[in-house]
Amino acid sequence: MNIDFSFLTWDFIRGFILNGLYFSLVLTLVAMLGGIFLGTLLALARLSGKKIFAIPAQIYVDTLRSIPLVMVILWFFLLIPLLIGRPLGAEWSAVITFTLFEAAYYSEIMRAGIQSVSRGQVHAGYAVGMTYPQVMKLVVLPQAFRNMLPVLLMQTIILFQDTSLVYAIGAYDLLKGFEVAGKNFNRPVETYMLAAVVYFVICFSLSMGVRALQKRIQIIR
C-alpha cells in the first residue's frame, strides 16, 4: 500500500479540518469552565460537613467517575430526548454531557486544592469576623485555584483528547473531520496518521506550557 499525502492542501484543511477543530476547542473550553464551576460547588458540598449536601455530591462524583465517558455520552444522547420529547442534537448533547462528566473530575482536584490550604488561614479568617462563604471566597478558593492550576490544566488537556469520543453520536469534531476526509479522498490511513500527529502536537505543546507554568508558580511560592 502506497502512502500518499498529495491531498494535503489548504482546501483540504479548510474544508474538512477547521470546522472540526473549532468544535473540539469550543467543547473543551465550555466543558472546562462549566466543569470547574460545578466541580467547585461539588467540592464545597463534600467538605461542608453537612450530610444533606455531602452525600449527594459524593454519590454524583463516584457514579460518574465509575462509568466510561462514551457510555455517558450515548445514554444522554439517546435517553434525554425520550424524557423531554425532542432531540437535543449531537453538539448540544456533547456540551452538556462533557460539562456534567468533567465536573466530577474537577471536583476531586478542587477538593484536594481546598484541603491543601492551611486550616490556620481559615481560622484567621473567622477570627477577623468573616463568615464561611467569605472565607471560602476571599481566602481559600483563590489559593486552591492557584495550587491546583497546573492539575486543572492537565485535566483540560485530557478533556480535549476525550472530545474525540463524540464520534459515537455523530458530532463533527476534529477526529470526525479527518474521518470524513479519509472517506472522501479514499485515504483513511493517511488521514488517521495526520489526526494522530495533530492531536500529538496540540497536546504536547499544551503540556509543555503547563510545565512551564508549574515551574513559575513554584518560583513564586
Side-chain angles (χ1 to χ4, degrees), residues 72-90:
V72 178
I73 294 172
L74 287 170
W75 287 350
F76 195 92
F77 180 70
L78 296 173
L79 295 180
I80 295 301
L82 296 178
L83 298 177
I84 65 176
R86 62 183 181 86
L88 281 176

Side-chain angles (χ1 to χ4, degrees), residues 83-123:
L83 298 177
I84 65 176
R86 62 183 181 86
L88 281 176
E91 287 76 16
W92 274 109
S93 181
V95 169
I96 296 172
T97 302
F98 269 80
T99 300
L100 297 177
F101 187 86
E102 291 299 322
Y105 287 85
Y106 285 120
S107 169
E108 291 297 271
I109 296 173
M110 287 308 304
R111 186 162 69 97
I114 292 171
Q115 291 177 323
S116 71
V117 178
S118 170
R119 296 299 300 173
Q121 298 189 42
V122 176
H123 296 315

Side-chain angles (χ1 to χ4, degrees), residues 5-207:
F5 290 98
S6 60
F7 61 87
L8 185 57
T9 63
W10 171 246
D11 289 335
F12 163 81
I13 296 174
R14 181 179 57 186
F16 294 96
I17 308 306
L18 289 184
N19 287 338
L21 177 60
Y22 175 76
F23 177 73
S24 292
L25 293 176
V26 170
L27 176 57
T28 300
L29 179 62
V30 173
M32 177 193 70
L33 296 176
I36 290 177
F37 176 75
L38 294 177
T40 301
L41 295 180
L42 288 168
L44 291 174
R46 294 190 66 181
L47 295 172
S48 65
K50 298 180 179 179
K51 292 184 178 181
I52 191 174
F53 299 126
I55 293 178
Q58 183 174 353
I59 292 174
Y60 179 91
V61 171
D62 291 344
T63 299
L64 286 185
R65 282 169 58 90
S66 302
I67 303 175
L69 174 56
V70 68
M71 292 181 63
V72 178
I73 294 172
L74 287 170
W75 287 350
F76 195 92
F77 180 70
L78 296 173
L79 295 180
I80 295 301
L82 296 178
L83 298 177
I84 65 176
R86 62 183 181 86
L88 281 176
E91 287 76 16
W92 274 109
S93 181
V95 169
I96 296 172
T97 302
F98 269 80
T99 300
L100 297 177
F101 187 86
E102 291 299 322
Y105 287 85
Y106 285 120
S107 169
E108 291 297 271
I109 296 173
M110 287 308 304
R111 186 162 69 97
I114 292 171
Q115 291 177 323
S116 71
V117 178
S118 170
R119 296 299 300 173
Q121 298 189 42
V122 176
H123 296 315
Y126 290 143
V128 298
M130 289 185 178
T131 62
Y132 176 78
Q134 288 175 326
V135 170
M136 285 293 151
K137 179 181 178 180
L138 301 176
V139 179
V140 176
L141 287 181
Q143 296 184 70
F145 275 113
R146 188 188 66 183
N147 293 342
M148 294 294 105
L149 183 58
V151 185
L152 290 170
L153 293 177
M154 289 302 297
Q155 178 61 33
T156 302
I157 295 174
I158 297 173
L159 164 59
F160 173 75
Q161 296 171 345
D162 287 344
T163 59
S164 61
L165 295 176
V166 297
Y167 80 89
I169 57 176
Y172 198 98
D173 70 314
L174 179 59
L175 183 60
K176 185 69 173 180
F178 280 106
E179 179 188 355
V180 173
K183 292 179 179 178
N184 277 266
F185 289 94
N186 196 28
R187 289 292 177 180
V189 174
E190 290 89 338
T191 52
Y192 279 120
M193 289 173 62
L194 287 173
V197 171
V198 171
Y199 273 101
F200 173 79
V201 170
I202 293 174
C203 295
F204 183 78
S205 301
L206 292 175
S207 296

